[in-house]
Amino acid sequence: MIYLDGNSLGRLPLAAQARLADAVTREWGDRLIRGWNEGWIDLPARVGGKIAGLIGAQPDEVLVADSTSVNLYKLALAALHAQHGRHTIITDDLNFPSDLYILQGICRQMGPDYRVQVVASPDGIHGPLAGLAQAIDDDTALVTLSHTTFKSSYTYDLTAVTHLAHQHGALVLWDFSHSAGALPIGLNAAGADLAVGCTYKYLNGGPGAPAFLYVRRDLQETLPNPIAGWMGQRRAFDFGLEYEPAPGLARFLSGTPSVLGLTAVECGVDLLLEAGLDRLRAKSVRQSEYLIGLWAARLEPLGFTLNSPRAAARRGSHISLGHPDGWRIAQAYIQEMHVLPDFRRPDNIRLGLTPLYTTFGEIDTAVARLRTVVEEKLYEKYSGEITAVT
Ligand SMILES: *Cc1c(COP(=O)(O)O)cnc(C)c1O
């Protein structure tokens, strides 16, 4: 089996297997409630501090909590509250749908003056830089984008877009779900305000692992957490009846953290820190260029289009190939060729290159097998009906 879906669900790190077994048997099974004082309570900040090392932030600027969707809700709403008198959220149509739904919900909640403006990509592949420059103005409260977009893999220039938003007094909230662990990110260097991201993709934290959030240090005391729960309370265990936010980033915690989830995330993050993101990025670019070369020579003649940017600097670590029979081809690819990509409508076969474990040989074999599916028309017996999880 060739796994090209590490950008949707990363592989299981061997260390996580042993670590989780210990967390279940000894920590949960034996230590029980004492576990909270023996390390569990520190996990959100400790693992967040390690993730900070992957995204160019300070250790006290990153926490692990909740899901990406919930963190996006918390930070986007906090930003709107802080941006009194501004009513527009700017994003693009390459963004992940959950992000758009959350933003739409926030605007409904804030009232009829608030709106989300979705700027259209010129070609469905590249980010709409000119459109964003035109849309961002003095009514813009927040600009929020996927740093690397889930379908085409387009990667925004973090510094340039952050600067553009700041020129107009807008805050920026980046979603790093398809960037974290895939390429080096310089959050502090870009002066970015807010960020969220996923840990079960390139960070290999496991299915449904908790997400991370970043709040630049100087904003931490000024932004309110709209889900102000007891874990973000100044003295949670005083059980006081009035909320008083904890100092610093801790106020962005809401409820009890997922201890087993966090335990697995830490193993994945440790592995990436050990490998070094600069080295992983160098390999990822070489592998992506290699795959694009194979596409041009061996797949384009069979009707596949490159639905990702051609310039390596503007790409994350996955490549989308389009084909009119994409869905049926993906089914045959999985069932008969034992290659696992994923499929994104309308026609994208998305190939995730995860340099931690993807080899050049696997890329070569995966392309050969994709040719076989088309040349031998193996896909023709599959139905065009799309299943629930793709
Ligand atoms: C994967 C992903 C998410 C996932 O959000 P969940 O809350 O974990 O379901 C959100 N945003 C983007 C851009 C993603 O790629």
Side-chain angles (χ1 to χ4, degrees):
M1 187 265 280
I2 296 177
Y3 194 64
L4 298 179
D5 213 352
N7 57 324
S8 253
L9 177 67
R11 275 184 181 273
L12 167 68
L14 290 178
Q17 223 168 352
R19 182 68 194 86
L20 279 177
D22 181 64
V24 171
T25 345
R26 188 181 56 81
E27 294 183 12
W28 179 14
D30 188 39
R31 301 308 295 160
L32 282 161
I33 194 77
R34 293 167 290 190
W36 286 111
N37 282 324
E38 295 169 2
W40 292 350
I41 201 75
D42 304 320
L43 276 167
R46 186 172 86 225
V47 181
K50 290 184 176 186
I51 292 175
L54 298 174
I55 60 176
Q58 302 305 306
D60 62 357
E61 293 177 316
V62 183
L63 272 180
V64 181
D66 309 307
S67 64
T68 305
S69 301
V70 171
N71 287 335
L72 188 89
Y73 174 82
K74 293 197 293 192
L75 296 192
L77 192 51
L80 286 203
H81 285 309
Q83 292 278 55
H84 201 69
R86 292 170 176 255
H87 302 95
T88 310
I89 301 176
I90 306 276
T91 184
D92 70 8
D93 66 351
L94 302 179
N95 206 347
F96 191 65
S98 187
D99 295 39
L100 299 180
Y101 305 155
I102 298 279
L103 300 174
Q104 290 159 7
I106 285 174
C107 285
R108 279 196 298 276
Q109 188 181 342
M110 290 296 286
D113 294 341
Y114 287 81
R115 67 189 188 107
V116 185
Q117 186 177 345
V118 182
V119 180
S121 158
D123 56 2
I125 294 176
H126 295 83
L129 288 178
L132 287 171
Q134 208 165 35
I136 298 170
D137 62 20
D138 293 346
D139 191 53
T140 307
L142 179 69
V143 177
T144 178
L145 297 162
S146 287
H147 178 241
T148 299
T149 62
F150 79 104
K151 217 179 277 185
S152 78
S153 191
Y154 176 81
T155 298
Y156 276 102
D157 181 329
L158 192 69
T159 307
V161 177
T162 300
H163 182 66
L164 176 67
H166 286 174
Q167 276 180 320
H168 293 274
L171 291 168
V172 186
L173 166 49
W174 290 102
D175 189 329
F176 287 122
S177 292
H178 275 94
S179 291
L183 64 162
I185 298 166
L187 263 176
N188 286 166
D193 307 294
L194 305 164
V196 297
C198 180
T199 65
Y200 50 77
K201 294 169 179 161
Y202 294 95
L203 301 190
N204 307 309
F212 65 86
L213 63 84
Y214 157 92
V215 180
R216 203 181 61 220
R217 193 181 281 146
D218 62 293
L219 291 172
Q220 292 173 2
E221 307 271 337
T222 61
L223 295 184
N225 178 359
I227 309 180
W230 73 309
M231 284 290 144
Q233 158 78 1
R234 180 174 290 273
R235 283 174 295 270
F237 287 89
D238 281 2
F239 298 103
L241 298 186
E242 291 297 326
Y243 178 76
E244 199 189 331
L249 190 62
R251 72 185 54 196
F252 284 96
L253 291 173
S254 295
T256 305
S258 162
V259 170
L260 296 178
L262 272 154
T263 300
V265 172
E266 188 166 29
C267 298
V269 171
D270 283 342
L271 203 55
L272 285 161
L273 287 169
E274 186 187 333
L277 265 187
D278 288 331
R279 292 162 63 201
L280 288 171
R281 173 64 174 170
K283 183 176 170 193
S284 157
V285 169
R286 276 170 41 229
Q287 291 195 319
S288 304
E289 292 293 310
Y290 180 60
L291 176 56
I292 290 173
L294 292 177
W295 159 77
R298 294 157 67 182
L299 296 173
E300 194 177 17
L302 299 182
F304 286 94
T305 54
L306 179 64
N307 291 354
S308 293
R310 189 61 194 80
R314 295 274 64 86
R315 264 197 329 261
S317 201
H318 64 273
I319 302 276
S320 277
L321 299 180
H323 193 287
D325 276 310
W327 169 253
R328 295 198 297 161
I329 291 171
Q331 294 323 294
Y333 206 29
I334 295 166
Q335 302 294 332
E336 298 181 39
M337 292 286 127
H338 312 292
V339 180
L340 290 185
D342 49 24
F343 178 79
R344 289 293 174 265
R345 287 171 201 248
D347 66 343
N348 292 286
I349 296 174
R350 198 175 66 165
L351 306 172
L353 306 176
T354 37
L356 213 47
Y357 48 83
T358 304
T359 67
F360 285 86
E362 284 178 317
I363 294 171
D364 192 59
T365 307
V367 168
R369 291 186 193 174
L370 193 51
R371 272 188 70 98
T372 303
V373 169
V374 176
E375 282 179 334
E376 298 182 11
K377 300 194 188 304
L378 298 178
Y379 61 90
E380 285 188 344
K381 62 176 174 287
Y382 291 87
S383 130
E385 199 176 313
I386 296 184
T387 52
V389 178
T390 64

